[in-house]
Each structure stands twice: as structure tokens, then as C-alpha cells.
């Protein structure tokens, strides 16, 4: 938790790119937990079979709630011949979604960049501890790999009812592929098309 309070866990996500370098990829070697004011990296100790956590640093971006997570492929210099992380070193590269609609990009256990207004904020609320929280934000994300281990598309979904596609190039979030697509507009267009065909 944050400041010795137990943190509420909103979810966990296994790292599909983690490897211990020993060739046994049948067991996931790393995952992150995320939620109320936290994101932690968990690694499996091979000798004991225990999971050990390591807090990740929000750094200059400040501690905040995390609503969604997706791992990014490792950078080309970090990959082995099989496309997995060499050595399963715990240096997760990932993207996190936040209630204020922003995305944070993480490398080596710390947040390194922020994308503001990836999605709408939603309603503002003041928490019992005095911090400001938002009722919207980035609620879901999923990575689809391209033809190589390092490229693909990240799709984010927000409480604002919008989906956005982001390019992933050499394990890095490179920018928007498409303008956000409001789901409500698509449903209305389909309904109108269906009504016209009746």
C-alpha cells in the first residue's frame, strides 16, 4: 500500500514476455498488481517458488490510482532469439491507465513518460484523505502484437465510452494510430443502418 496503508488491488496482469533464460516458458515469471495508489512488480524466485514484490516508482508524476495495465514488448536490444526478455530481469516495460484519463509509460520499474488526456477524466471527487480522484479514466487496455515481437497495437478504452489505438514500435508507445472512436456513435450508426434496411 501507499504510506503503510493497505492498497486496494484492482487487478493483476502477467508479463507475456518474461523468461528466465532457461527455456521453460510454461510458467509465467512475472506479473504486476495495480490499484489504489500502487503498481508493484512480482517475480517468481526459481529456487523457492515464492513470489517477491518490488514497488515501482511513479517519480515526478506522483503516486496515483492505476485502473488498467498492459505490458509492452521488450526493446530489441533486450530480447533473446525467441523474442522474450533475456534473463527475466524484472525490468517490466508497461503502460498504465489512470482515473484522470492519462497514460504512464514505464521502464525499469519507474514511470518515464506521461500522455495527458488519452481519455476523458469523468466526475471529480475528493477522497477521505483529501486527494482528488476522477470517476472516468482509462479502464481497459490490450496489446495486439504485429508481425514482429517488438511491434503492435495497443487499444485503450475509457469510461468516456471511447476506444483509441496506439502504435507500438520497438517496444515503445509511439503515438495514436487513429482518432478516438466513441462507442455510442458507432451504436447509433449501426441502429440507423439497421432501421434503414428493415
Amino acid at each position: 500500500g501507499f504510506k503503510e496503508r493497505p492498497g486496494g488491488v484492482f487487478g493483476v496482469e502477467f508479463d507475456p514476455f518474461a523468461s528466465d533464460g532457461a527455456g521453460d516458458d510454461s510458467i509465467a515469471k512475472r506479473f504486476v498488481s495495480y490499484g489504489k495508489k500502487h503498481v508493484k512488480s512480482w517475480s517468481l524466485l526459481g529456487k523457492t517458488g515464492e513470489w517477491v514484490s518490488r514497488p515501482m516508482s511513479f517519480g515526478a508524476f506522483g503516486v496515483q490510482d492505476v485502473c488498467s495495465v498492459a505490458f509492452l514488448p521488450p526493446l530489441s536490444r533486450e530480447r533473446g532469439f525467441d523474442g522474450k526478455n533475456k534473463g527475466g530481469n524484472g525490468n517490466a516495460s508497461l503502460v498504465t491507465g489512470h482515473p484522470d484519463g492519462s497514460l504512464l509509460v514505464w521502464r525499469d520499474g519507474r514511470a518515464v513518460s506521461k500522455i495527458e488526456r488519452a481519455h476523458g477524466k469523468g466526475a471529480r471527487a475528493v477522497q477521505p484523505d483529501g486527494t482528488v480522484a476522477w470517476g472516468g479514466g482509462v479502464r481497459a487496455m490490450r496489446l495486439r502484437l504485429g508481425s514482429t515481437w517488438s511491434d503492435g497495437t495497443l487499444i485503450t478504452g475509457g469510461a468516456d465510452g471511447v476506444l483509441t489505438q496506439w502504435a507500438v514500435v520497438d517496444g515503445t508507445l509511439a503515438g495514436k494510430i487513429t482518432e478516438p472512436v466513441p462507442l455510442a456513435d458507432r451504436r447509433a450508426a449501426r441502429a440507423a443502418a439497421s432501421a434503414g434496411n428493415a
Side-chain angles (χ1 to χ4, degrees), residues 40-83:
K40 283 187 179 181
S41 178
W42 296 79
S43 298
L44 184 63
L45 292 180
K47 293 180 182 179
T48 65
E50 293 180 58
W51 289 99
V52 176
S53 70
R54 179 177 68 126
M56 298 175 71
S57 173
F58 286 89
F61 304 107
V63 175
Q64 50 196 291
D65 293 350
V66 178
C67 300
S68 56
V69 169
F71 280 91
L72 294 175
L75 298 172
S76 56
R77 68 177 182 269
E78 298 172 342
R79 288 194 308 276
F81 70 92
D82 61 354

Side-chain angles (χ1 to χ4, degrees), residues 16-23 25 30 73-89 148-150 170:
F17 306 104
S19 169
D20 63 2
D25 293 330
R30 181 173 52 241
L75 298 172
S76 56
R77 68 177 182 269
E78 298 172 342
R79 288 194 308 276
F81 70 92
D82 61 354
K84 304 277 185 162
N85 269 354
K86 292 187 274 187
N89 56 16
T148 69
W149 271 97
S150 59
D170 192 24

Side-chain angles (χ1 to χ4, degrees), residues 54-180:
R54 179 177 68 126
M56 298 175 71
S57 173
F58 286 89
F61 304 107
V63 175
Q64 50 196 291
D65 293 350
V66 178
C67 300
S68 56
V69 169
F71 280 91
L72 294 175
L75 298 172
S76 56
R77 68 177 182 269
E78 298 172 342
R79 288 194 308 276
F81 70 92
D82 61 354
K84 304 277 185 162
N85 269 354
K86 292 187 274 187
N89 56 16
N91 294 335
S93 299
L94 58 117
V95 177
T96 54
H98 302 276
D100 67 355
S102 67
L103 299 174
L104 286 179
V105 180
W106 301 71
R107 292 256 181 242
D108 300 326
R110 68 186 213 293
V112 295
S113 64
K114 184 174 188 173
I115 299 171
E116 299 279 358
R117 295 180 296 281
H119 287 275
K121 286 184 179 183
R124 181 179 189 264
V126 177
Q127 301 295 305
D129 65 0
T131 59
V132 174
W134 303 95
V138 187
R139 297 297 186 185
M141 57 179 71
R142 182 70 63 187
L143 175 70
R144 181 186 64 158
L145 285 175
S147 58
T148 69
W149 271 97
S150 59
D151 300 331
T153 304
L154 179 72
I155 298 175
T156 59
D160 56 2
V162 171
L163 294 174
T164 304
Q165 294 184 74
W166 305 84
V168 177
V169 178
D170 192 24
T172 303
L173 196 60
K176 287 183 187 178
I177 294 175
T178 61
E179 286 304 308

